[in-house]
């Protein structure tokens, strides 16, 4: 049955004009996250044994939730060349913890040292690992999502459109489970790698200086959406000049065409890389809109 699709276009400059103070999302108590390697030995395709060759998850678990709770794997942005681990990693992880959601910040491998499919392999492995250890971490295995910012949003949308159910005969039990996220959250995501509004830095770092056009099209997530793509929440600003909002519009329209439940919020103002938007009275509302969507979508079963 085709799912209902919501489109919310938010023009929020009026809040700033009236001097409304930013709404601070609650955060959990400060904690040192547990760091978990995605592979116990050397990661597939690794070019060495340094930190940059070793993908990991930083595990943030809420202290006031017994579970089974939802989980979100966060992919920070950075043009596939660096990772904004604080603004687009730790901060959203602590916010999700405040909602009773376990969060896992993904340190994935980067260009130009690594190109596709390494980054997608890291994301898929992260989803499988969290699903495999769901009982240990008190997680609901059918409520595991992917949350990506900017280039991390491209990675999250790629994981949402290019997944598999696992290999039953795999020697590694982690590879036997599905890599499909149950829902996705995209914040000012890179989506297309072929259009005029493509973020060229992300494309080059992911695919190299002279990528094959067919590969670039396959990795343009708006071309890969099907009815199996998970429900998705999208946030962007109309003023974003680094990664134009056309990226999110194209993905939303593809979701709509495929009948995938989606909610899309476009704010009038705000530069690229705002994170949770707490520096701006208007943008500070978007984490609350996300929390509302998580509840309405059944990801959050109850308020902690």
């Amino acid at each position: 049955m085709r799912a209902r699709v919501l489109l919310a276009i938010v023009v929020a400059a009026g809040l700033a004009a009236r001097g409304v103070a930013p709404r601070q999302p609650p955060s959990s108590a400060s904690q040192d996250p547990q760091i978990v390697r995605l592979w116990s030995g050397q990661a597939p395709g690794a070019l060495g044994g340094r930190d940059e060759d070793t993908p990991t998850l930083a595990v943030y678990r809420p202290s006031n939730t017994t579970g089974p709770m939802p989980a979100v794997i966060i992919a920070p942005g950075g043009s596939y060349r660096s990772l904004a681990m604080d603004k687009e990693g730790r901060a959203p992880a602590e916010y999700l913890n405040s909602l009773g959601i376990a969060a896992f910040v993904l340190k994935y491998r980067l260009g130009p040292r690594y190109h596709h499919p390494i980054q997608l392999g890291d994301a898929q492995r992260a989803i499988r690992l969290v699903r495999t250890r769901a009982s240990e971490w008190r997680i609901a295995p059918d409520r595991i999502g992917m949350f990506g910012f900017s280039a991390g949003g491209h990675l999250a949308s790629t994981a949402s459109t290019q997944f598999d159910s696992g290999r039953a005969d795999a020697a590694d039990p982690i590879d036997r489970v599905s890599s499909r996220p149950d829902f996705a959250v995209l914040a000012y995501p890179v989506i297309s790698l072929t259009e005029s509004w493509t973020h060229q830095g992300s494309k080059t770092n992911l695919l190299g200086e002279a990528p094959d056009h067919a590969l670039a099209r396959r990795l343009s997530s708006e071309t890969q959406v099907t009815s199996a793509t998970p429900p998705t929440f999208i946030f962007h600003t109309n003023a974003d000049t680094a990664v134009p909002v056309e990226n999110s519009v194209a993905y939303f329209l593809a979701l709509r065409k495929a009948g995938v439940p989606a909610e899309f919020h476009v704010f009038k103002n705000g530069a690229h890389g705002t994170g949770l938007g707490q520096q701006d009275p208007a943008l500070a509302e978007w984490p609350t809109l996300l929390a509302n969507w998580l509840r309405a979508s059944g990801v959050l079963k109850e308020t902690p």
Side-chain angles (χ1 to χ4, degrees):
M1 181 172 63
R2 291 177 64 86
R4 182 184 180 188
V5 182
L6 298 176
L7 171 61
I9 303 295
V10 180
V11 178
L15 288 173
R18 295 197 300 271
V20 177
R23 178 180 297 178
Q24 299 293 333
S27 62
S28 62
S30 179
Q31 58 177 311
D32 292 325
Q34 175 190 8
I35 304 298
V36 177
R37 295 168 64 119
L38 296 189
W39 285 271
S40 58
Q42 191 174 63
L47 300 176
R50 294 179 290 183
D51 182 69
E52 64 194 63
D53 303 309
T54 308
T56 63
L57 287 174
V59 183
Y60 293 81
R61 288 189 290 169
S63 59
N64 59 343
T65 304
T66 59
M69 71 188 94
V72 173
I73 296 156
I74 302 171
S79 300
Y80 280 118
R81 191 181 184 96
S82 63
L83 295 173
M85 294 295 281
D86 187 49
K87 180 187 287 188
E88 297 174 356
R90 178 200 55 80
E94 291 185 348
Y95 177 60
L96 291 169
N97 280 182
S98 76
L99 301 175
I101 300 172
F104 301 80
V105 180
L106 174 62
K107 179 172 73 70
Y108 53 95
R109 286 171 283 178
L110 299 168
R113 185 170 172 83
Y114 291 99
H115 296 310
H116 175 80
I118 293 296
Q119 293 85 353
L120 177 58
D122 289 351
Q124 291 176 331
R125 177 71 175 191
I127 295 167
R128 296 188 212 274
L129 176 63
V130 172
R131 188 161 278 136
T132 301
R133 298 179 65 172
S135 178
E136 172 190 346
W137 284 327
R138 305 193 307 276
I139 288 166
D142 59 349
R143 286 184 284 151
I144 297 173
M146 189 87 187
F147 186 168
F149 293 82
S150 192
H154 180 265
L155 184 57
S157 68
T158 306
S160 296
T161 54
Q162 302 190 38
F163 49 81
D164 62 67
S165 58
R167 292 185 294 111
D169 61 347
D172 185 343
I174 295 174
D175 290 333
R176 299 172 194 165
V177 303
S178 172
S179 65
R180 178 186 181 273
D182 298 300
F183 59 95
V185 179
L186 308 179
Y188 40 88
V190 175
I191 293 293
S192 178
L193 300 185
T194 59
E195 298 291 343
S196 60
W197 27 265
T198 293
H199 186 254
Q200 292 297 328
S202 295
K203 177 180 179 179
T204 299
N205 290 323
L206 180 66
L207 299 181
E209 293 291 342
D212 176 72
H213 181 77
L215 176 60
R217 179 166 176 78
R218 283 200 305 275
L219 291 175
S220 296
S221 297
E222 80 279 11
T223 70
Q224 303 300 309
V225 172
T226 71
S227 60
T229 301
T232 303
F233 177 100
I234 308 171
F235 155 72
H236 218 124
T237 69
N238 192 53
D240 191 336
T241 57
V243 178
V245 71
E246 280 84 352
N247 284 274
S248 288
V249 171
Y251 196 66
F252 171 78
L253 291 176
L255 293 168
R256 177 180 173 85
K257 183 177 180 180
V260 176
E263 185 164 308
F264 180 23
H265 294 270
V266 180
F267 285 70
K268 178 181 178 182
N269 296 318
H272 187 72
T274 60
L276 295 181
Q278 296 309 293
Q279 73 284 0
D280 182 274
L283 295 182
E285 295 295 311
W286 91 261
T288 300
L289 296 171
L290 170 59
N292 292 341
W293 179 80
L294 291 169
R295 294 187 181 97
S297 300
V299 173
L300 275 173
K301 299 298 186 183
E302 59 184 28
T303 302

